[in-house]
Amino acid sequence: MITTSGLTKVYRSRGREVTALDGVDLHVREGEVYGVIGQSGAGKSSLIRCVNLLERPTAGTVSVDGHDLTALAGRGPRAGRELRRARSRIGMVFQHFNLLSSRTVQDNVELPLEILGTSGKERSRKALELLDLVGLSDKAKAYPAQLSGGQKQRVGIARALAGDPKVLLSDEATSALDPETTRSILQLLRDLNRQLGLTVLLITHEMDVVKSICDSAALMENGRIVESGTVSELLATPGSELAAALFPVGGDASGDDRTVIDVTFQGDAATRPVISQLSRTYNIDISILGAAMDTVAGRQVGRMRIELPGVYEENVVPIGFLREQGLQIDVVGERELVKDGAK
Amino acid sequence: MTWSEMQPLLEQACWDTLYMVGWSTLIAVVGGLPLGILLVLTDRGGLLQNVVANKVIGQVVNIARSMPFIILMVALMSFTRTITGTTIGREAAIVPLAIGAIPFFARLVETAVREVDHGLVEAVQAMGGNTWTVVRRVLVPESLPSLISSATTTVVALIGYSAMAGTVGAGGLGDIAIRYGYQRFETGLMWITVAVLAVVISVIQFAGDYAARRLHRRGGGSGAAPRLRLLKAGPKLGKAA
Ligand SMILES: Nc1ncnc2c1ncn2[C@@H]1O[C@H](COP(=O)(O)OP(=O)(O)O)[C@@H](O)[C@H]1O
Ligand SMILES: [Mg+2]
């Protein structure tokens, strides 16, 4: 639904150059919620703003719903008719809501329809319908200043949906909200994604956001996507930083001559008694250092950190046994080695 | 001088002042509003970025604004004659008043429009709006309370300038105060004129502040409303972070 290839953005100001995006290839499938996570300054906002060409990419292409937007953009700095039409089919919500304070809630939701040239009657019907969808039908005549942050973001979402977009872009939509409100806004986005088949690309610096609603995720660092995939793919990727962050387990080794491994269970692997089998088969004592069950992207996932006696070399066979059972095994300590080797 | 002698003089003067100030304000708003908006749009990073145009407009506005009104009036004489067919009387005074007030108002507009949160502009662009949509749906309505304050400031300044319009025989309250009070030592009439001017200015200022405040309260809520004779609007409209 959204594809970027080789997307590069270099900001030039007063002779200084900042490469905010450095060849980003992103692929968001139709109907999924895709989260891009990264620290402040990683280039997330630049990425999402390049998707609807609020920011002109320095190089690379963006296509949304089969339309190559970079081709529509033309060469001048101003957005031509074609690009503006394409933008009207992409909804966008913002961290600071960006509602017009001079307009009522209903008039704010009607604004995209005014731009599309919809008739007055149809506009108000549609606006009221959308306000109902986001649970704010009683606030139609209020002004944004009279609303709470969560309500403002609901108006922002209703407004973003006014043009019947297939794609919703969300730039830190919950970052200005308290945890409770964040949950309700995320739930709303999830519902809209399900009910309307809306494809959602959201960027965030909060892992919880990805954990609660994303089907797929990408990790951004220094303008590059360093990891990406569906959440279950990521969880099944040994050494995945995103997986570790999404689903952390704690616990330290009790001595030097021990091997600590993280076992991730997904699906039916979670129901088999593999740990006791391991213990019996190889006659070893296993201590459990930490464990957690959680729901990630709507699936039950279990993770357990266990300790085997002896150094890694002595445990190659038991670890192999666990891998054969279809479990994902990360050897703690080895992960750092792998990463250092890659650098 | 008795009251019955003064009354028709004052009445005529009031009308003359309102006539001159009314028309020149109207022209100043019609001319200064687009000019002020253009100053913002053509600036670096603006929607119609054009550094050369921005510099030229900015320079012209600065020069016109810093020109003493009396000199502007003299300098514009031939221009005034071309437009109104005369260089004396009320109509002739309107031309330099309006031309002096356009850049004055334009700078105030520029300041007011710059205060509009850029996020709102982006939101409208993301909906597919063009530059005209941004101006009409965002920049003007969002800065309206400040624009009204700016217009009020301009009216008050124009009342001041119009006092000098007497020199081209345009009449008005300022003219009476100078002619009767200064040249003929009619101190009574002069003080009454001063009082009338004070009342007129206060009423205009009050009406302007009231309108700005009402609009502001509707939209903003948290920020302070524009205050008396404030050149700039109050803090940016409330934005929960
Ligand atoms: N308009 C701009 N001009 C110059 N540099 C910018 C601009 N916008 C962003 N940057 C720079 O690009 C980098 C990425 O910024 P951004 O995309 O906002 O990251 P994020 O949203 O992940 O915090 C930062 O170093 C930032 O300073
Ligand atoms: Mg950002």
Side-chain angles (χ1 to χ4, degrees):
Chain A
M1 198 65 174
I2 303 173
T3 306
T4 74
S5 59
L7 199 62
T8 301
K9 176 71 196 180
V10 180
Y11 293 105
R12 291 191 180 83
S13 55
R14 285 180 227 96
R16 267 184 5 104
E17 288 197 353
V18 180
T19 305
L21 296 177
D22 190 3
V24 172
D25 299 318
L26 189 72
H27 185 69
V28 181
R29 281 169 306 178
E30 183 163 2
E32 73 174 342
V33 179
Y34 195 109
V36 176
I37 189 162
Q39 292 191 333
S40 176
K44 308 179 299 293
S45 293
S46 301
L47 173 61
I48 206 159
R49 291 159 52 81
C50 276
V51 169
N52 61 0
L53 261 75
L54 278 180
E55 208 72 75
R56 284 296 157 104
T58 312
T61 59
V62 176
S63 84
V64 177
D65 197 17
H67 300 281
D68 183 351
L69 298 192
T70 28
L72 295 182
R75 228 170 296 156
R78 254 155 269 153
R81 181 190 299 267
E82 299 265 322
L83 175 58
R84 281 186 273 116
R85 187 176 292 267
R87 275 182 186 161
S88 69
R89 288 191 296 259
I90 302 173
M92 191 168 194
V93 286
F94 304 87
Q95 179 174 5
H96 295 296
F97 327 122
N98 294 350
L99 302 177
L100 299 190
S101 64
S102 55
R103 288 176 167 239
T104 62
V105 162
Q106 182 180 345
D107 289 346
N108 264 286
V109 179
E110 285 189 23
L111 183 56
L113 299 166
E114 287 173 26
I115 291 171
L116 287 170
T118 314
S119 75
K121 222 166 132 194
E122 172 62 16
R123 281 206 306 267
S124 86
R125 189 194 63 75
K126 179 94 195 188
L128 292 173
E129 182 189 304
L130 286 167
L131 285 174
D132 193 37
L133 187 66
V134 300
L136 279 182
S137 26
D138 56 328
K139 297 287 186 194
K141 295 285 176 268
Y143 282 91
Q146 298 160 336
L147 303 182
S148 70
Q151 290 172 327
K152 284 182 193 169
Q153 196 55 289
R154 283 170 187 269
V155 178
I157 291 169
R159 180 179 71 176
L161 296 176
D164 286 324
K166 288 188 166 179
V167 172
L168 187 71
L169 307 177
S170 155
D171 187 348
E172 305 267 8
T174 58
S175 299
L177 304 174
D178 61 69
E180 182 120 358
T181 316
T182 294
R183 268 194 293 281
S184 79
I185 292 291
L186 291 176
Q187 188 58 47
L188 175 63
L189 287 176
R190 190 61 175 162
D191 291 347
L192 293 171
N193 159 258
R194 296 248 167 90
Q195 283 172 26
L196 310 175
L198 195 67
T199 306
V200 181
L201 172 61
L202 63 85
I203 64 170
T204 181
H205 64 273
E206 292 166 315
M207 203 44 95
D208 271 348
V209 171
V210 175
K211 194 163 164 175
S212 51
I213 68 165
C214 291
D215 300 306
S216 299
L219 174 66
M220 238 183 138
E221 274 171 18
N222 297 320
R224 295 211 177 105
I225 287 187
V226 291
E227 268 185 44
S228 67
T230 64
V231 170
S232 42
E233 274 165 19
L234 288 170
L235 288 173
T237 307
S240 162
E241 271 183 65
L242 262 180
L246 274 172
F247 200 11
V249 277
D252 291 322
S254 54
D256 281 343
D257 54 346
R258 300 284 199 276
T259 304
V260 177
I261 61 179
D262 284 345
V263 186
T264 305
F265 309 84
Q266 290 193 73
D268 68 332
T271 57
R272 275 180 282 131
V274 278
I275 299 299
S276 61
Q277 279 173 12
L278 176 71
S279 179
R280 257 184 284 121
T281 314
Y282 298 98
N283 194 25
I284 48 179
D285 293 325
I286 299 166
S287 4
I288 296 174
L289 301 174
M293 287 296 286
D294 208 338
T295 311
V296 177
R299 295 159 124 253
Q300 279 285 316
V301 178
R303 218 171 216 202
M304 187 185 272
R305 175 166 288 192
I306 58 178
E307 187 183 62
L308 310 177
V311 295
Y312 175 67
E313 283 72 21
E314 298 168 36
N315 285 302
V316 173
V317 177
I319 289 171
F321 167 81
L322 287 174
R323 288 205 167 115
E324 271 169 31
Q325 306 300 308
L327 298 177
Q328 183 205 321
I329 306 300
D330 286 309
V331 179
V332 180
E334 190 198 43
R335 179 185 293 166
E336 274 70 39
L337 287 176
V338 171
K339 258 173 55 183
D340 287 347
K343 273 185 189 156
Chain B
M1 232 177 171
T2 64
W3 174 244
S4 56
E5 285 173 308
M6 290 183 199
Q7 203 196 353
L9 273 177
L10 279 170
E11 240 170 56
Q12 182 61 39
C14 269
W15 283 121
D16 286 343
T17 294
L18 290 181
Y19 181 85
M20 287 187 288
V21 171
W23 278 107
S24 47
T25 301
L26 193 70
I27 299 169
V29 167
V30 169
L33 184 63
L35 205 59
I37 292 172
L38 220 52
L39 275 169
V40 179
L41 293 181
T42 55
D43 200 7
R44 203 178 294 279
L47 266 56
L48 302 174
Q49 178 173 325
N50 186 332
V51 180
V52 178
N54 187 264
K55 282 261 159 9
V56 171
I57 301 174
Q59 205 57 39
V60 169
V61 163
N62 278 347
I63 291 171
R65 206 164 67 108
S66 51
M67 193 75 68
F69 178 68
I70 194 91
I71 294 177
L72 193 68
M73 205 158 59
V74 176
L76 286 174
M77 281 230 178
S78 62
F79 178 66
T80 305
R81 195 197 310 276
T82 322
I83 291 189
T84 63
T86 173
T87 55
I88 54 168
R90 298 189 307 185
E91 280 74 18
I94 290 173
V95 175
L97 281 175
I99 290 188
I102 287 174
F104 182 86
F105 186 59
R107 278 289 179 214
L108 296 181
V109 169
E110 183 194 1
T111 313
V113 169
R114 264 190 215 290
E115 294 278 308
V116 175
D117 186 350
H118 191 68
L120 303 180
V121 175
E122 285 202 335
V124 168
Q125 286 182 309
M127 292 169 201
N130 57 19
T131 305
W132 173 237
T133 316
V134 169
V135 170
R136 203 160 86 95
R137 315 275 182 187
V138 182
L139 298 184
V140 172
E142 287 293 307
S143 60
L144 199 56
S146 309
L147 291 178
I148 287 177
S149 294
S150 307
T152 311
T153 307
T154 307
V155 173
V156 172
L158 276 169
I159 291 177
Y161 289 154
S162 75
M164 281 175 265
T167 50
V168 294
L173 286 166
D175 182 44
I176 292 222
I178 292 169
R179 270 199 294 151
Y180 289 84
Y182 181 67
Q183 294 167 350
R184 299 194 201 165
F185 303 104
E186 290 280 357
T187 337
L189 179 57
M190 189 194 73
W191 282 116
I192 292 176
T193 314
V194 169
V196 171
L197 268 174
V199 169
V200 168
I201 289 174
S202 302
V203 166
I204 288 169
Q205 191 74 58
F206 178 82
D209 285 348
Y210 179 75
R213 238 171 240 274
R214 264 196 71 113
L215 282 172
H216 192 81
R217 193 159 305 145
R218 185 185 78 178
S222 56
R227 291 223 308 276
L228 206 70
R229 264 177 288 280
L230 210 65
L231 295 188
K232 230 173 71 173
K236 213 178 292 179
L237 303 186
K239 186 174 86 171

